[in-house]
Amino acid sequence: MLPLAIGAVLAVMLMTWAVVLYNGWVKGRNRAKNAWSQIDVQLKRRHDLIPNLVETVRGFAAHEQETLESVIEARARATAAPDVRSTARAESALGGALGRLMVVAEQYPALQANDNFLALQEELASTENRIGFARQHYNDSVMDYNTAIQSFPANFLSGSFGFTEETHFELTDEAARRTPAVAF
Amino acid sequence: MWEAIESNRRRSWVLVAISGAGLLAFGTLIGLIVDPAFFWVGTLSALGLFFTLWTLAWVGGHRVLLSAAGARRLDSALELPLLFNVSEEMCIAAGLGWRPALYLIEDPAPNAFAVGTSKDDASLAVTSGLLQKLSRDELQGVIAHEIGHLVNRDTHFMTLAGVLLGSIVLLAEVFRRTLLLGGGFVARRRASSRSLSIQTHALLLVAGILAAVLAPVLARALYFACSRKRELLADATAARLTRFPDGLANALEKIALHAAHSRSAGSRVLAPLCIVNPRRAFGEAGWFSTHPPLDLRVAVLRGMSGGAHYGAYEESYRQVSGGRSCLPPSTLASRRALVKREAHLDSSESSTERREAVHAALGRLAGCTTATCLCGVAFRVPPSLALDFVTCPRCGRDNELPLAEHDQPSVPAENRPSVPSVPAQRYVVDEPGWQSFRCRCSKTIHVSPALLAREIVCNTCGRRIEIVRRANLARPRTRSEERRAHASD
């Protein structure tokens, strides 16, 4: 009778442990997913800002056609990117193109004095920051989640429940990650 | 980050349980002394006191604090884009999913505080001095510290702890006065009850007096110790969110430097809430200080050589304070190093544009009409001024205040039967940005740069005002544009 009771208590404790672990993993995975959608929101915000920015710059520096076109093209490619890896690549190219545009804009005092442009510049700087912080938060969440499902002894269970590692989001292009020209 | 929240919650509950038990025991003791047969009256009144204070704090605490600080709510991101952007960035970094309401306080001394216990009433108030004196990196550090308080549920916990402290102090006060004024009352009750011997009662009385003297002191010390721990944790969270501890360190130094000029935040009620206690910015921290010493905080932030994670903060704290620990161990579980970032190139601290923007926002919040004299002096004219011109204190010119012109409505009146038939007016907007002018009824009206409507109605007199926007390209340069163009040539 006693061994049976001990066995039952142990089984219940094991079950509880598994349930707590499982719920923790679900929470972690949802956090990572939610964090990912935040990056998307901010990238969308950047895409929405670009047409307005390009038009404003065009008004003062129409003959910088090449730079303007490259920004528009990069934006089109970024919005059309199908998966995570190509999104990262297209977004970093877009960041580079925007950086060049801002360098060009610095040569036009009239543009630098335009209220509309200054407001856009602040919005763009903030958007770059937001993308950076959203990415930071996503990577933090992914790291927490990955640590949780990989650590011993939980790693024996996590695989069988279908919890797999999430990938980090890195902007590969170092120039795009910094976007120094936007910080003014 | 999640570990910090979890561990905070556990610790908070333990603390609240201990203080709550202390409060109940104290109440019961008083009940026993007054009348042993009805000792539960004491317990119940302690409970009642706690719940009354708790309800008051929960329902209106944040509103009382904000209005005591003279904080005005900023409704639109157009009011101060920088503040809204930096706050939004920090909320994203913290994965909050919502942003606290933002408030502005007119005070030349930089400072900030966060109040509110839930998503709906969480509020972040900053002084105008903070926006005018800090660079973007420093502002980010301060906002991250305040967001850290919200994320770590410090506002939540400190409200509860404050209510418990308040109950204990009040109860002790009531008991002391009862003893002083109504000693006879206690004695009479004692004579009438036979359940306790005289010795026991004397013992209880001594215990009661001891408790009445010691409990408030202990509760206070406990409360302030918690407060100091939470400030450190919020600093660590800020470093983690921004990945740039030096930003907050610089900001703390600047805030302490200007704290002497504080106008509103110097009140006793608000001082413990602020990022730097304005009443005692410098000096040693004792048992009853709400914040850790400023030098310590700055030294810890500056000494974070290992990165921006909690572990680096803890390590730096150990080095500065000689081996003591400051963060709960569970926050340090993740040994992963987070790399610090570099300072932003922009050091556009207190640029003229930003100072003007903050000044204008303060004016709008106070309902003032803003006008600029030809000599460059900007005015904020309070709505109570009955004149329609103002004399420039520098050059002596009389400046007419912007006023709506009488005009015939551009659309036939029969198309808008719902609007009362008072004469329509017109105002021509010829500068970008916010506009302010007076209606014919002398009510000040502010026009946001995002307003698309062609016509607005004065909400005091009901007059219609047509808003005419001059074409963007044809407009002359504004004075600030003129100045910027001149500077960049």
Side-chain angles (χ1 to χ4, degrees):
Chain A
M1 193 61 209
L2 191 66
L4 202 70
I6 291 175
V9 167
L10 273 181
V12 167
M13 277 168 71
L14 260 175
M15 287 282 287
T16 321
W17 178 68
V19 166
V20 168
L21 270 184
Y22 184 87
N23 287 346
W25 295 332
V26 171
K27 211 188 257 179
R29 191 168 60 186
N30 286 345
R31 264 176 200 151
K33 273 197 185 137
N34 192 23
W36 176 254
S37 67
Q38 264 304 312
I39 300 184
D40 267 353
V41 170
Q42 301 311 328
L43 289 178
K44 173 93 174 35
R45 192 182 140 92
R46 172 153 88 172
H47 299 160
D48 291 348
L49 268 174
I50 287 171
N52 212 341
L53 183 74
V54 165
E55 283 318 304
T56 310
V57 175
R58 204 195 291 279
F60 289 83
H63 53 273
E64 302 283 352
Q65 201 57 36
E66 198 184 324
T67 321
L68 293 169
E69 286 303 327
S70 76
V71 171
I72 295 170
E73 238 170 70
R75 176 186 180 270
R77 231 173 287 133
T79 43
D83 56 35
V84 174
R85 187 158 300 172
S86 55
T87 302
R89 210 177 304 129
E91 287 297 340
S92 66
L94 177 56
L98 274 173
R100 282 192 293 282
L101 178 66
M102 289 326 225
V103 172
V104 165
E106 264 172 31
Q107 297 158 7
Y108 294 86
L111 190 57
Q112 294 294 318
N114 179 273
D115 273 330
N116 200 8
F117 179 73
L118 286 176
L120 277 170
Q121 206 174 19
E122 161 66 27
E123 284 310 302
L124 190 64
S126 174
T127 305
E128 297 297 332
N129 282 347
R130 288 175 197 207
I131 294 171
F133 283 120
R135 194 166 54 83
Q136 171 184 313
H137 177 62
Y138 171 74
N139 286 342
D140 285 2
S141 311
V142 165
M143 183 59 94
D144 284 350
Y145 168 70
N146 285 352
T147 313
I149 63 169
Q150 284 165 358
S151 46
F152 180 82
N155 53 355
F156 289 114
L157 280 175
S158 57
S160 52
F161 281 124
F163 289 94
T164 49
E165 273 180 56
E166 298 273 339
T167 43
H168 289 241
F169 181 71
E170 296 295 340
L171 292 181
T172 41
D173 189 356
E174 195 57 27
R177 190 186 294 180
R178 288 201 176 168
T179 56
V182 189
F184 38 90
Chain B
M1 180 148 60
W2 310 110
E3 314 87 55
I5 301 167
E6 294 296 327
S7 115
N8 257 355
R9 198 172 293 161
R10 273 195 303 275
R11 291 175 150 224
S12 308
W13 279 116
V14 171
L15 252 164
V16 164
I18 293 176
S19 327
L23 176 68
L24 283 186
F26 189 37
T28 314
L29 188 63
I30 293 175
L32 271 173
I33 290 167
V34 172
D35 191 343
F38 293 98
F39 70 89
W40 48 268
V41 176
T43 323
L44 275 188
S45 42
L47 258 182
L49 190 62
F50 169 73
F51 277 110
T52 316
L53 289 180
W54 189 65
T55 316
L56 286 177
W58 233 244
V59 173
H62 66 287
R63 249 168 281 150
V64 172
L65 288 168
L66 285 169
S67 68
R72 286 174 199 271
R73 188 178 169 129
L74 293 161
D75 286 312
S76 145
L78 291 166
E79 297 268 13
L80 286 168
L82 180 77
L83 177 64
F84 275 78
N85 282 339
V86 170
S87 312
E88 194 70 52
E89 285 162 22
M90 285 304 102
C91 291
I92 289 170
L96 214 53
W98 48 274
R99 182 175 51 69
L102 296 175
Y103 286 77
L104 185 65
I105 302 169
E106 178 159 15
D107 189 340
N111 225 322
F113 65 85
V115 289
T117 49
S118 71
K119 188 174 153 179
D120 299 320
D121 56 17
S123 319
L124 203 165
V126 302
T127 62
S128 52
L130 190 83
L131 296 174
Q132 288 173 329
K133 293 196 171 77
L134 265 54
S135 76
R136 191 181 185 127
D137 273 341
E138 292 161 355
L139 184 65
Q140 196 180 49
V142 171
I143 302 286
H145 173 99
E146 299 304 335
I147 299 282
H149 275 314
L150 292 175
V151 172
N152 299 334
R153 309 201 179 232
D154 294 349
T155 50
H156 213 266
F157 172 69
M158 289 319 280
T159 311
L160 194 56
V163 166
L164 272 168
L165 169 68
S167 318
I168 290 178
V169 169
L170 256 176
L171 206 61
E173 195 63 21
V174 168
F175 179 64
R176 276 218 303 265
R177 299 210 171 203
T178 321
L179 277 189
L180 283 178
L181 303 174
F185 165 72
V186 177
R188 236 185 298 122
R189 282 306 181 104
R190 180 172 56 81
S192 70
S193 71
R194 274 174 240 144
S195 51
L196 288 177
S197 70
I198 292 186
Q199 283 92 338
T200 328
H201 195 265
L203 263 178
L204 276 178
L205 199 61
V206 170
I209 292 169
L210 264 180
V213 174
L214 284 182
V217 179
L218 279 179
R220 253 192 210 120
L222 195 66
Y223 175 83
F224 290 132
C226 286
S227 167
R228 290 196 296 274
K229 284 260 176 207
R230 304 242 158 192
E231 290 300 328
L232 290 175
L233 183 60
D235 279 357
T237 308
R240 190 191 155 131
L241 291 182
T242 58
R243 306 278 151 100
F244 187 60
D246 288 324
L248 180 57
N250 293 343
L252 289 178
E253 280 176 339
K254 259 190 200 173
I255 293 172
L257 202 66
H258 292 99
H261 311 296
S262 175
R263 195 184 294 165
S264 62
S267 82
R268 275 183 57 165
V269 189
L270 289 165
L273 294 172
C274 292
I275 182 165
V276 170
N277 187 332
R279 292 165 65 84
R280 38 199 299 183
F282 293 105
E284 290 293 302
W287 277 36
F288 297 107
S289 27
T290 52
H291 289 58
L294 189 92
D295 321 349
L296 177 84
R297 289 171 73 189
V298 172
V300 173
L301 286 167
R302 290 218 192 282
M304 290 176 69
S305 49
H309 49 295
Y310 285 136
Y313 190 86
E314 171 79 6
E315 205 170 289
S316 173
Y317 185 85
R318 271 180 210 277
Q319 269 173 13
V320 171
S321 70
R324 275 186 295 156
S325 137
C326 68
L327 298 182
S330 60
T331 58
L332 308 170
S334 135
R335 281 262 146 226
R336 179 169 52 105
L338 303 176
V339 187
K340 285 200 276 187
R341 73 167 167 82
E342 284 161 33
H344 276 142
L345 295 177
D346 83 303
S347 51
S348 61
E349 45 187 298
S350 60
S351 68
T352 321
E353 284 81 26
R354 206 202 292 174
R355 272 206 303 274
E356 276 175 9
V358 174
H359 196 256
L362 281 171
R364 281 196 296 278
L365 291 175
C368 297
T369 318
T370 46
T372 315
C373 176
L374 275 176
C375 72
V377 173
F379 308 111
R380 270 156 50 182
V381 185
S384 52
L385 184 79
L387 303 171
D388 49 10
F389 68 93
V390 58
T391 312
C392 173
R394 188 156 84 185
C395 65
R397 277 191 196 92
D398 280 347
N399 288 275
E400 278 185 23
L401 291 179
L403 194 68
E405 311 156 5
H406 279 299
D407 190 51
Q408 289 303 309
S410 53
V411 185
E414 60 265 26
N415 289 356
R416 288 165 300 174
S418 59
V419 185
S421 57
V422 276
Q425 309 169 80
R426 174 153 65 162
Y427 183 73
V428 181
V429 174
D430 53 4
E431 283 189 30
W434 285 84
Q435 301 290 320
S436 67
F437 62 92
R438 284 183 170 191
C439 173
R440 287 280 155 186
C441 69
S442 86
K443 156 95 183 162
T444 301
I445 292 169
H446 298 287
V447 181
S448 147
L451 182 82
L452 292 175
R454 306 281 300 279
E455 192 182 88
I456 53 180
V457 175
C458 172
N459 56 13
T460 306
C461 64
R463 284 185 178 86
R464 291 189 303 274
I465 304 164
E466 190 189 358
I467 303 293
V468 183
R469 269 189 198 280
R470 205 158 275 174
N472 211 20
L473 293 173
R475 73 183 165 79
R477 269 188 189 175
T478 64
R479 226 167 271 114
S480 56
E481 279 182 297
E482 214 51 271
R483 199 169 48 230
R484 277 197 295 270
H486 186 70
S488 57
D489 278 345

